[in-house]
């Protein structure tokens, strides 16, 4: 060989949108002057610029060229290794060309943009808008959403979103004003939205909600005219009454009337419900509930009863408010199936959106809706609006059939072990939906496991290979394989409590040898996440003896103090409910208890049940002992966690007279302590 080509570096880290340079060195070991033409080949050929493209090299000398690789954002280059090929072709002897390869290790990057649409809202009590967050990067991005709305009440679908690469996530934002505006000029309420991508500059968005008066400006004049008409009508009625008393025509039955004496209107309410966008199983299914209330009085809201199957969970809604089915009051907490959604038919859009979380395995069922009545709300109290019995109240059902993704994942974080040494595990189960009609082909999936900042990955088992880093797992699926499980191990360190998301997100999918375009990856693979909670010091325990040494017959008091260590700000886990602790108490034979421990809600089997402290509060348990006559050996008075439960029932739920089911959690989240007693 008379031509030798070297490339430096052999591997180069590349971030899309940022140029990096390979250096090509060509040495002519022949006897003739040679002109070499340099070119790039392969997937990245169009992204490589070589300067100069032709090198004139004398015998025994070398020439160099710079190959600049600049991967554009629009290519959405996935994280991983990209092989870059170069051909060096001599002009005199073109058949003696040389091919060399280098590796471009593509780094992850996110490019997040956000927009609010619409920005101008209006309504008598509420309206809603949508925050669209787009990620033009090559890996998923986290974004936090904060809203400052002054006097407005805000309901947001999710304050923290994960946006897969090359996709857009839409987040519903509802704005509600507490008190109605009965008359006068519309009132403008500005609100401000801040979208903060993780590790990037916050994106400010602005909007305005204009509250419209319930009664138009002409209502006062109309009321005066109506009052005059009522006076005339009353005079006519009195005359008619006098006539009937002297033998006039017989009295006829009057039509139904409202408390103010006016005739109750005949109101026809039509109800329609449809799916906003056909969702796939595991995604949020949005149903649009629309009402058309003909002849509804000003200020009246249409109450629509909504029933949904147990497999669905109502995540959010844009109803004016909800009324509890069994308590007939405006709800403070979360609605349940069978409650009434209140819709203002006078809004520019007489509708409400209902967002349901769906199971990833698939769903086939119905959401049932029926208009029940017209109401008004004043300080949370529901007042029914009288309507004529001839009124018609409609109903409508929505059939939902959701198919699972071709590939979908589940993440399950395991509870800590009894030792709770900081080592944790998570199982990532990958499902492939097979048609079994002969069209299923072999597939290759690459996904990335992302951990919160307080956790460090120590290994993953079950992968067929790894990509750009140890957190990028490659799996090969035969045409008949439905599920595969990968186990990830990580170290959570010593600091606690803390909480964060363990997320598995797709990077690449190849089916039948064909790579799915990155822009379509989000429609073919559904990622998953689970909450990782580290809370070994959530409820520290301190044991003190007074005195720690005593002779036979003396009295000894043990004080067990339980405190609460709050989660860091920004962690929403376990914020709105309440705790119930079981603390196991033990003592040596040298101490004989006097009565029951003080401070326990109940005490049985050596376990003290008590409500968990919150904030700066402390729970205190006191035990009184006498020193036994035959006490010779020292021993420990010990307190440790026996059971722990979290009740997610919020203050709003309690105001609604509703309870939720408590969740059993690891007893290791409760600390332990002991102090040794020494008998004389």
């Amino acid at each position: 060989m008379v031509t030798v080509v070297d490339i430096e570096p052999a591997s180069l880290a590349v971030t899309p949108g940022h140029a990096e340079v390979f250096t090509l060195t060509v040495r002519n070991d022949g006897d003739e002057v040679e002109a070499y033409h340099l070119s790039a080949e392969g997937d990245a050929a169009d992204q490589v610029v070589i300067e100069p493209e032709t090198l004139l090299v004398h015998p025994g000398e070398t020439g160099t060229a710079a190959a600049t690789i600049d991967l554009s954002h629009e290519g959405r280059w996935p994280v991983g290794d990209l092989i870059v090929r170069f051909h060096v072709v001599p002009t005199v002897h073109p058949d003696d060309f040389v091919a060399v390869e280098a590796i471009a290790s593509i780094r992850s990057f996110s490019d997040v943009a956000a927009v609010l649409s619409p920005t101008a809202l209006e309504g008598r009590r509420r309206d809603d808008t949508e925050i669209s967050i787009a990620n033009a990067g090559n890996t998923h991005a986290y974004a936090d959403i904060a809203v400052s709305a002054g006097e407005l009440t805000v309901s947001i679908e999710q304050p923290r979103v994960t946006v897969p690469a090359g996709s857009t996530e839409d987040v519903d934002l509802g704005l509600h004003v507490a008190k109605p505006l009965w008359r006068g000029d519309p009132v403008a309420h500005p609100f401000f939205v801040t979208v903060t991508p993780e590790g990037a500059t916050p994106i400010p968005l602005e909007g305005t909600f204009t509250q419209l008066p319930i009664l138009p400006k002409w209502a006062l004049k109309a009321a005066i005219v109506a009052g005059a008409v009522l006076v005339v009508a009353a005079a006519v009625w009195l005359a008619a009454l006098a006539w009937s008393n002297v033998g006039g025509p017989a009295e006829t039955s009057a039509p139904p009337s409202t408390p103010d004496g006016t005739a109750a209107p005949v109101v026809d309410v039509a109800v329609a419900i449809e799916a906003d966008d056909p969702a796939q199983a595991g995604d949020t299914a949005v149903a649009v509930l629309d009402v058309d209330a003909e002849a509804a009085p000003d200020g009246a809201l249409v109450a629509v009863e909504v029933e949904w199957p147990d497999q669905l969970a109502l995540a959010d809604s844009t109803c004016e408010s909800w009324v509890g089915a069994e308590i007939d009051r405006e709800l403070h907490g979360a609605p349940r199936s069978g409650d009434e959604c209140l819709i203002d038919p006078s809004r520019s859009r007489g509708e409400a959106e209902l967002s349901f979380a769906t199971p990833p395995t698939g769903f086939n069922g119905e959401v049932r809706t029926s208009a029940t009545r017209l109401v008004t709300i004043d300080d949370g109290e529901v007042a029914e609006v009288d309507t004529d019995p001839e009124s018609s109240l409609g109903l409508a059902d929505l059939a939902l059939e959701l198919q699972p993704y071709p590939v979908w994942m589940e993440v399950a974080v395991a509870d800590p072990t009894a030792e709770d040494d900081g080592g944790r595990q998570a199982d990532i189960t990958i499902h492939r939906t097979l048609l079994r009609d002969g069209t299923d082909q072999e597939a290759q999936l690459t996904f990335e496991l992302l951990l919160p900042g307080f956790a460090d990955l120590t290994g993953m088992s079950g992968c067929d290979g790894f990509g750009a880093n140890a957190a990028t797992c490659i799996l090969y699926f035969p045409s008949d394989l439905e599920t595969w499980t990968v186990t990830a191990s990580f170290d959570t360190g010593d600091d606690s409590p803390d909480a964060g998301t363990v997320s598995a997100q797709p990077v690449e999918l190849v089916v039948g040898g064909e790579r799915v375009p990155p822009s379509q990856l989000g429609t073919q693979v559904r990622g998953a996440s689970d909450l990782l909670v580290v809370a070994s010091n959530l409820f520290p325990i301190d044991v003190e003896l007074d005195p720690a040494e005593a002779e036979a017959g003396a009295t000894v008091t043990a004080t067990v103090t339980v405190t609460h260590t709050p989660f860091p700000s920004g962690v929403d886990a376990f914020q709105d409910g309440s705790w119930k602790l079981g603390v196991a108490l033990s003592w040596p034979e040298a101490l004989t208890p006097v009565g029951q421990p003080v401070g326990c809600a109940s005490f049985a089997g050596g376990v003290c049940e008590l409500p968990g402290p919150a904030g700066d509060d402390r729970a205190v348990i006191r035990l009184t002992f006498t020193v036994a006559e035959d006490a010779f050996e020292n021993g420990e008075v010990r307190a440790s966690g026996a059971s722990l439960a979290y009740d997610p029932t919020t203050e709003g739920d309690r105001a609604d007279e509703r309870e939720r089911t408590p969740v059993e959690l690891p007893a290791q989240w409760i600390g332990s302590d002991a102090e040794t007693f020494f008998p004389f």
Side-chain angles (χ1 to χ4, degrees):
M1 178 181 288
V2 296
T3 303
V4 178
V5 180
D6 187 29
I7 186 168
E8 288 290 338
S11 179
L12 188 63
V14 177
T15 300
H18 297 272
E20 301 291 346
V21 179
F22 291 103
T23 300
L24 293 168
T25 302
V26 181
R27 188 172 76 249
N28 182 359
D29 285 346
D31 299 326
E32 303 173 287
V33 176
E34 187 66 89
Y36 297 96
H37 178 71
L38 286 67
S39 64
E41 307 292 335
D43 294 339
D46 294 340
Q47 314 294 322
V48 178
V49 176
I50 302 176
E51 294 179 337
E53 291 186 336
T54 301
L55 290 173
L56 185 65
V57 184
H58 290 81
E61 296 183 359
T62 61
T64 60
T68 303
I69 180 170
D70 190 355
L71 302 180
S72 64
H73 286 192
E74 290 72 17
R76 296 205 177 95
W77 301 92
V79 176
D81 290 342
L82 175 68
I83 296 177
V84 184
R85 298 180 177 86
F86 296 95
H87 281 186
V88 180
V89 182
T91 303
V92 178
H93 303 287
D95 292 339
D96 294 334
F97 72 90
V98 178
V100 294
E101 294 181 349
I103 296 176
S105 297
I106 302 175
R107 291 172 171 170
S108 63
F109 80 99
S110 60
D111 184 2
V112 177
V115 64
L116 185 70
S117 178
T119 57
L121 314 179
E122 65 176 25
R124 288 182 170 85
R125 292 290 296 276
R126 70 162 296 148
D127 204 352
D128 51 88
T129 184
E130 193 171 68
I131 307 166
S132 296
I133 304 174
N135 177 15
N138 66 349
T139 188
H140 79 287
Y142 289 120
D144 293 313
I145 303 173
V147 183
S148 175
E151 298 178 354
L152 298 174
T153 300
V154 175
S155 63
I156 188 168
E157 183 180 6
Q158 51 191 96
R160 182 174 175 85
V161 295
T162 302
V163 188
S167 68
T168 300
E169 291 291 323
D170 295 326
V171 179
D172 292 331
L173 173 64
L175 298 160
H176 180 272
V177 63
K179 294 185 178 296
L181 178 64
W182 288 103
R183 60 176 63 87
D185 295 327
V187 177
H189 299 274
F191 62 93
F192 306 90
V193 178
T194 303
V195 178
T196 306
E198 193 172 64
T201 304
I203 304 170
L205 306 171
E206 296 182 16
T208 302
F209 170 72
T210 301
Q211 184 181 8
L212 303 177
I214 293 176
L215 300 177
K217 291 183 177 181
W218 48 261
L220 182 58
K221 295 180 180 179
I224 295 173
V225 173
V229 172
L230 286 175
V231 170
V232 174
V236 173
W237 179 77
L238 290 173
L241 180 61
W243 172 253
S244 65
N245 288 337
V246 296
E251 182 181 352
T252 58
S253 60
S257 62
T258 61
D260 62 3
T262 60
V266 177
V267 180
D268 294 327
V269 180
V271 177
I273 185 170
E274 62 180 358
D276 187 12
D277 288 316
Q280 290 181 271
D283 290 346
T284 299
V286 178
V288 180
L289 178 59
D290 183 76
V291 298
D292 184 6
E294 187 176 338
D298 286 338
L301 304 173
V302 179
V304 181
E305 182 182 279
V306 185
E307 297 182 39
W308 58 87
D310 292 339
Q311 299 95 315
L312 300 181
L314 184 67
D316 194 14
S317 77
T318 60
C319 303
E320 295 287 330
S321 57
W322 285 82
V323 173
E326 73 279 8
I327 60 176
D328 199 26
R329 279 202 318 270
E330 184 177 15
L331 290 177
H332 297 85
R336 297 179 179 178
S337 177
D339 289 338
E340 292 175 322
C341 165
L342 302 187
I343 301 176
D344 185 352
S346 65
R347 283 171 54 182
S348 57
R349 294 174 294 170
E351 64 182 31
E353 290 187 355
L354 309 173
S355 301
F356 294 99
T358 66
T361 54
F363 173 77
N364 190 343
E366 284 188 336
V367 178
R368 297 179 175 272
T369 63
S370 59
T372 56
R373 54 183 174 164
L374 269 62
V375 300
T376 59
I377 294 286
D378 186 12
D379 289 335
E381 294 299 323
V382 178
E384 190 163 342
V385 176
D386 291 327
T387 58
D388 191 280
E390 296 298 321
S391 299
S392 173
L393 301 177
L395 52 86
D397 298 336
L398 172 63
L400 286 176
E401 184 173 356
L402 308 179
Q403 300 299 328
Y405 278 73
V407 179
W408 53 281
M409 293 185 275
E410 292 180 295
V411 176
V413 177
D415 286 337
T417 61
E419 293 79 14
D420 195 12
D421 56 1
R424 299 289 291 275
Q425 286 189 342
D427 287 335
I428 304 96
T429 303
I430 301 91
H431 303 262
R432 189 176 180 204
T433 305
L434 298 178
L435 300 177
R436 303 200 179 277
D437 59 358
T439 63
D440 298 322
Q441 298 176 297
E442 293 184 352
Q444 175 184 325
L445 172 68
T446 303
F447 73 88
E448 185 178 9
L449 184 70
L450 296 114
L451 301 176
F454 59 84
D456 295 318
L457 183 68
T458 57
M460 282 202 292
S461 61
C463 300
D464 294 317
F466 296 92
N469 52 56
T472 306
C473 176
I474 301 173
L475 298 174
Y476 297 98
F477 275 77
S479 58
D480 60 345
L481 184 64
E482 288 186 343
T483 61
W484 189 268
T485 300
V486 173
T487 299
S489 302
F490 38 89
D491 185 6
T492 58
D494 297 328
D495 294 334
S496 68
D498 213 335
T501 301
V502 176
S503 176
Q505 298 297 330
V507 173
E508 185 180 59
L509 178 66
V510 178
V511 180
E514 296 292 330
R515 177 171 173 253
V516 174
S519 60
Q520 299 179 16
L521 186 61
T523 66
Q524 299 296 307
V525 185
R526 184 181 189 275
S529 62
D530 194 16
L531 185 66
L532 168 64
V533 181
V534 179
S536 57
N537 294 322
L538 188 62
F539 293 101
I541 289 180
D542 177 68
V543 177
E544 293 185 358
L545 292 179
D546 183 22
E549 301 179 0
E551 60 185 10
T555 299
V556 175
T557 300
T559 302
V560 179
T561 304
V562 184
T563 54
H564 176 58
T565 305
F567 286 94
S569 60
V571 175
D572 295 328
F574 313 113
Q575 293 289 345
D576 299 325
S578 58
W579 298 91
K580 184 177 181 180
L581 281 64
V583 177
L585 305 174
S586 62
W587 49 86
E589 294 182 356
L591 296 176
T592 302
V594 179
Q596 295 289 313
V598 176
C600 303
S602 64
F603 183 73
V607 176
C608 171
E609 299 278 355
L610 72 162
D616 296 330
D617 295 339
R618 302 188 308 163
V620 178
I621 308 168
R622 286 189 173 84
L623 302 94
T624 302
F625 304 96
T626 57
V627 181
E629 293 292 337
D630 55 351
F632 298 104
E633 296 184 0
N634 58 342
E636 290 184 336
V637 176
R638 173 173 293 275
S640 59
S643 63
L644 181 64
Y646 176 74
D647 185 353
T649 304
T650 65
E651 291 298 326
D653 294 327
R654 293 187 180 89
D656 298 336
E657 301 175 4
R658 291 179 168 180
E659 300 291 335
R660 299 195 202 178
T661 303
V663 180
E664 296 294 330
L665 294 169
Q668 298 92 309
W669 290 6
I670 304 174
S672 64
D673 191 32
E675 187 170 352
T676 303
F677 172 72
F678 298 91
F680 285 162

